[in-house]
Amino acid sequence: MAGHEHHHHFSLCFCDLMRLLWSLVMPCVYLSLVLTLVLVLVVLGLRLWLQGRRRTRQAQGTGAALAFFHPYCNAGGGGERVLWCSLRALMNRYPSVSFVVYTGDKDVSGEQILEGARRRFNITLPRPVTFVFLRHRGLVEASSYPHFTLLGQSLGSMFLGWEALTAFVPDLYVDSMGYAFTLPIFCYLGGCKVASYVHYPTVSTDMLSVVRERNPRFNNSDFISRNPVLSALKVLYYCLFALIYGLAGSCSDVIMVNSTWTLGHILALWRSPSRTSIVYPPCDVQAFLDVPLEDEDEVEEGWEELGRELGSEEEEGGGRGGGGDRKCHSIVSVGQFRPEKDHQLQIRAFRKLLDKKGEGPGGRESLRLILIGGCRNQEDNERVLMLRGLCQELGVSDRVDFKLNIPFEELKRELVNASIGLHTMWNEHFGIGVVECMAAGTIVLAHKSGGPKLDIVVPHQGRQTGFLADSEDSYAAAMETILELSPSARLEIKHAARESVRRFSDQEFEVCFLSAMESLMSTRV
């Protein structure tokens, strides 16, 4: 009997609990509907307000306006070259359209930004562009988010995008820096037609594999990679983020990607194949192709003859022959000083090469590593100091030079005179520096992944165009192989590489970019 009463009491308690929960369901439903309605009204109100600002601007006779979102437009990387070439192409094609660039470079003027583009990239715009200076660029700085960096930067980009939209409401919007979470802001609140040029997916299946395999890299700390629970949580975090990232990216009316590697990831995440196309980034190959390649067989024979005439082996030190000990070989790296560029791998591989070559003529003293790149902020400058410290630690500081933010002409001179063009970024989305090296007649040694592997350092008409590696040992071995090539073999690779990179010229980019943008421009121009 006692058991029956206990069971009856439990049933009553359970029924009371269910009645309580049911009594809360309807208020929650009503509250959800009210909040949803309020949210919809707020979004509609903001959209009407912003469209009113656009109509006011249009009533002043300014015509259609296209805005690029590029918070770091004064940096000297490949993404900035895409920006300036895109603007130049659109300005020439659509003379009635006005152009705006949202930038966070508050410490410089618009004139200084344009002068920097001319000096670094040899690009001059045919007519003026308006700069909208954003005050809160720190919201997208990785240093602002020591944890959950991807989420923090993405949410920060939404606030920065809102600041940009309220400062100027365009008719057409282009995200040229990879801030996909700004696309819904301009699309749904601003009522803009939007396009995106994707250099690198914010999250990718490769990043997921790094975490799953508990592989420590610049985007996966040792603390997380050593802990299976934290690694599992990070995989879940990445999967959820990838889902939201795909929804944001799918708002884009036109999607351009810079390589085959990026295309695969964007198609998997954004799922918009009919709106997605490859537009290879513009590389100033013509500036390098204008420099003739020397016939190294003839040059070496000339130096050997001169050496015999003068009776001095030292006089042969100026020759350009490959594999001999008659010249100082410079190994040049071109890339911004960001962690993913993996300059440490370059320095460590160079140290192994020096150890292989040893002392004496044609050894250590005949080799020099030149690291060329841009520094965007204090964090990059501190990274350069760390790399200088690594050079001292490894005992190679006397053979390594750092050249920061150098003008285009100096870059061109270094590449033309280099023996090897070095690249070490894992899964580089494209690799403009790799293309420039090949165009300059420098034999390239790139990372065996991403854009260099799939798009750039590929056989051209059955001929080799460069070398690939993926570790300190393989890089050192490949550099030694390149330096030991015969002059004729070296020249054959140079010619094949030069012929292959013509498809990455400014002219090819403009044709493909304008073709991709045609459907978007025709809606508002």
Side-chain angles (χ1 to χ4, degrees):
M1 177 66 77
H4 178 71
E5 290 179 354
H6 177 74
H7 177 73
H8 180 67
H9 179 70
F10 175 78
S11 299
L12 290 174
C13 290
F14 179 76
C15 291
D16 290 340
L17 177 62
M18 292 302 295
R19 279 194 292 269
L20 175 63
L21 292 176
W22 179 252
S23 68
L24 295 176
V25 167
M26 292 312 294
C28 289
V29 170
Y30 291 139
L31 180 60
S32 299
L33 290 174
V34 170
L35 291 177
T36 302
L37 180 61
V38 170
L39 179 62
V40 170
L41 291 175
V42 169
V43 170
L44 289 175
L46 290 173
R47 183 182 173 98
L48 290 173
W49 173 62
L50 292 169
Q51 288 181 342
R53 296 188 62 180
R54 180 192 291 115
R55 284 193 293 270
T56 301
R57 173 181 58 78
Q58 291 173 340
Q60 297 173 353
T62 57
L66 185 150
F68 281 85
F69 188 78
H70 208 103
Y72 295 91
C73 73
N74 198 42
E80 288 65 58
R81 191 166 218 290
V82 169
L83 169 68
W84 302 120
C85 285
S86 300
L87 277 167
R88 182 175 61 186
L90 290 170
M91 284 182 174
N92 288 327
R93 179 70 172 271
Y94 302 99
S96 63
V97 177
S98 58
F99 294 90
V100 172
V101 175
Y102 300 117
T103 178
D105 296 299
K106 306 188 301 291
D107 55 340
V108 293
S109 66
E111 291 75 13
Q112 289 173 314
I113 293 174
L114 294 174
E115 173 58 24
R118 185 201 63 78
R119 183 173 60 87
R120 292 172 185 162
F121 304 118
N122 197 28
I123 295 175
T124 302
L125 298 182
R127 52 195 173 91
V129 60
T130 301
F131 291 94
V132 174
F133 294 92
L134 307 176
R135 295 174 299 163
H136 302 103
R137 190 175 69 180
L139 292 171
V140 297
E141 295 278 357
S143 58
S144 301
Y145 310 99
H147 306 290
F148 299 99
T149 307
L150 289 180
L151 181 60
Q153 286 183 288
S154 298
L155 292 176
S157 71
M158 296 179 73
F159 285 102
L160 193 64
W162 173 250
E163 179 188 348
L165 182 58
T166 54
F168 182 88
V169 185
D171 301 283
L172 305 158
Y173 170 77
V174 181
D175 166 39
S176 53
M177 226 184 146
Y179 293 108
F181 284 80
T182 64
L183 297 171
I185 301 293
F186 280 83
C187 178
Y188 297 120
L189 294 181
C192 307
K193 289 291 184 178
V194 299
S196 54
Y197 188 95
V198 185
H199 299 274
Y200 196 86
T202 304
V203 63
S204 67
T205 54
D206 293 314
M207 295 167 67
L208 286 170
S209 67
V210 167
V211 181
R212 284 196 185 100
E213 297 167 5
R214 298 168 62 188
N215 184 4
R217 283 186 181 268
F218 71 91
N219 59 351
N220 193 43
S221 63
D222 291 342
F223 174 70
I224 291 178
S225 64
R226 288 195 299 263
N227 190 310
V229 176
L230 291 179
S231 292
L233 290 175
K234 189 169 183 179
V235 169
L236 178 62
Y237 160 58
Y238 270 14
C239 288
L240 292 174
F241 183 86
L243 176 63
I244 301 172
Y245 174 65
L247 293 174
S250 63
C251 296
S252 189
D253 298 292
V254 172
I255 304 166
M256 294 167 281
V257 299
N258 67 342
S259 69
T260 302
W261 182 86
T262 307
L263 176 68
H265 289 286
I266 291 301
L267 289 179
L269 294 167
W270 293 15
R271 300 183 182 279
S272 303
S274 62
R275 289 174 275 154
T276 307
S277 60
I278 296 178
V279 178
Y280 288 125
C283 308
D284 193 10
V285 296
Q286 194 57 49
F288 299 102
L289 295 176
D290 290 339
V291 179
L293 290 178
E294 296 176 350
D295 188 332
E296 298 193 30
D297 289 309
E298 296 180 2
V299 171
E300 180 160 321
E301 289 174 3
W303 280 101
E304 290 175 348
E305 183 179 348
L306 178 62
R308 287 193 297 270
E309 291 177 357
L310 297 178
S312 171
E313 291 296 322
E314 287 76 13
E315 287 295 326
E316 296 183 5
R320 289 184 57 87
D325 297 338
R326 291 176 295 279
K327 65 169 286 188
C328 179
H329 295 280
S330 63
I331 301 168
V332 175
S333 163
V334 180
Q336 289 181 323
F337 287 98
R338 304 200 306 262
E340 62 268 27
K341 294 298 183 180
D342 206 352
H343 290 90
Q344 293 188 47
L345 174 57
Q346 298 177 3
I347 295 170
R348 295 184 186 279
F350 182 66
R351 159 69 186 275
K352 290 196 172 186
L353 175 66
L354 293 181
D355 290 344
K356 288 184 176 185
K357 302 295 283 188
E359 303 293 339
R364 177 189 179 94
E365 297 303 314
S366 69
L367 300 174
R368 181 165 292 278
L369 176 63
I370 303 175
L371 304 180
I372 301 174
C375 286
R376 303 164 297 172
N377 47 40
Q378 182 60 32
E379 186 178 353
D380 287 354
N381 288 321
E382 292 173 358
R383 190 168 296 110
V384 171
L385 291 178
M386 182 272 293
L387 292 172
R388 291 183 187 273
L390 177 62
C391 290
Q392 289 195 341
E393 177 186 334
L394 297 179
V396 298
S397 55
D398 61 321
R399 310 310 304 162
V400 180
D401 295 329
F402 290 82
K403 299 201 172 186
L404 314 180
N405 303 317
I406 64 174
F408 177 78
E409 286 304 319
E410 186 175 354
L411 168 66
K412 179 179 177 180
R413 183 168 60 251
E414 291 291 348
L415 288 183
V416 168
N417 292 330
S419 298
I420 299 174
L422 192 59
H423 165 275
T424 50
M425 178 176 170
W426 172 72
N427 272 344
E428 171 82 86
H429 39 93
F430 181 71
I432 288 181
V434 177
V435 173
E436 290 176 339
C437 287
M438 294 167 71
T442 303
I443 295 184
V444 72
L445 171 56
H447 199 282
K448 193 176 182 179
S449 64
K453 177 184 178 182
L454 297 175
D455 292 305
I456 304 175
V457 190
V458 295
H460 177 69
Q461 297 179 352
R463 295 182 294 167
Q464 184 178 2
T465 58
F467 293 78
L468 298 169
D470 56 8
S471 66
E472 290 179 26
D473 290 332
S474 60
Y475 269 101
M479 285 189 280
E480 187 175 28
T481 298
I482 294 171
L483 295 174
E484 292 175 351
L485 287 172
S486 67
S488 59
R490 185 189 299 270
L491 192 60
E492 175 67 17
I493 294 174
K494 289 182 177 182
H495 277 301
R498 272 197 162 185
E499 292 172 14
S500 72
V501 298
R502 293 182 185 275
R503 59 204 166 102
F504 305 127
S505 66
D506 287 0
Q507 294 75 20
E508 288 293 325
F509 168 80
E510 290 188 5
V511 170
C512 295
F513 179 80
L514 291 174
S515 176
M517 289 288 290
E518 182 65 32
S519 61
L520 191 71
M521 300 298 292
S522 61
T523 61
R524 296 295 175 91
V525 179

